[in-house]
Amino acid sequence: MSSTTTTQQDKPDFLLVRSDQAESYWQPEPANGHISIHLSPDIVHMETPFALGTQTVAAGCFVREHAHDDRDEVIHFMSGTGVAVVNDKEYEVKAGDTLFLGRTQRHKFIAANDTPLTFLWIMHPNGLEAFFKQIGLPREEDEPAPAPFPRPENIKQIERDTVFADLSDRPSKPQ
């Protein structure tokens, strides 16, 4: 097998991604769910780089607090209920709700104890997909979830190398 380099021009300008065709990864603790990457510059030709995917957070689990210094993020809740914590303020969320998270907004998502929380995410510019690939385990559609597993030991380096702000010395931004 020979190795080839693919440029943006070599990628399609149109793509239909079926739910069972998206690249998917199991996520480590504390989310214990899975993500799927539907669109990114690695997949399709785009003039303005962004990434789009879905994430399911297991019942009673959460996406830890984080922020993105140089990216905007949109979260659209598709199923389940939970809480979004943005800059230390809690917002109940349910299917149909949408959040816009501008650059530097601290945020966390908590799934209700009785049901998973699933949302669509869009990140502009892209980069979140690279993080998910590095911390997750490859997932096949309809396979049973693995036992909860820890985040990689080099998680701080992965975060620095992808899309995450260092929150260690930052107070929350008031709403």
Side-chain angles (χ1 to χ4, degrees):
M1 181 190 275
S2 66
S3 122
T4 60
T5 303
T6 304
T7 65
Q8 273 292 300
Q9 289 71 28
D10 296 332
K11 296 178 185 137
D13 286 324
F14 168 83
L15 181 65
L16 172 61
V17 180
R18 305 271 183 205
S19 62
D20 62 346
Q21 295 171 329
E23 187 175 353
S24 190
Y25 296 88
W26 294 108
Q27 293 297 283
E29 298 171 317
N32 296 326
H34 57 87
I35 66 94
S36 294
I37 302 164
H38 293 256
L39 296 173
S40 76
D42 293 340
I43 299 169
V44 68
H45 175 254
M46 55 179 64
E47 296 297 325
T48 306
F50 71 94
L52 178 146
T54 58
Q55 182 166 4
T56 298
V57 179
C61 295
F62 64 95
V63 173
R64 54 132 191 102
E65 183 180 55
H66 63 280
H68 312 286
D69 279 337
D70 56 0
R71 285 160 170 79
D72 296 319
E73 187 172 21
V74 175
I75 303 292
H76 178 76
F77 296 94
M78 298 167 49
S79 66
T81 60
V83 174
V85 182
V86 181
N87 297 320
D88 297 325
K89 187 171 179 184
E90 292 187 6
Y91 302 88
E92 290 185 21
V93 293
K94 64 183 181 333
D97 293 349
T98 302
L99 286 174
F100 172 77
L101 299 159
R103 298 166 188 218
T104 74
Q105 301 296 301
R106 294 169 80 115
H107 53 283
K108 174 180 181 174
F109 306 113
I110 307 164
N113 287 328
D114 60 345
T115 184
L117 181 63
T118 299
F119 51 89
L120 174 114
W121 53 265
I122 300 171
M123 178 156 284
H124 180 265
N126 69 298
L128 189 57
E129 73 283 6
F131 172 77
F132 285 137
K133 290 178 185 185
Q134 291 182 58
I135 70 163
L137 300 175
R139 174 182 175 263
E140 295 297 325
E141 188 75 15
D142 296 326
E143 75 177 327
F149 59 97
R151 296 167 64 111
E153 288 184 24
N154 64 335
I155 189 67
K156 291 295 183 197
Q157 185 63 48
I158 294 169
E159 289 174 344
R160 278 192 298 274
D161 292 345
T162 57
V163 297
F164 292 87
D166 180 2
L167 298 182
S168 60
D169 61 351
R170 274 192 217 187
S172 291
K173 235 176 150 174
Q175 282 292 314

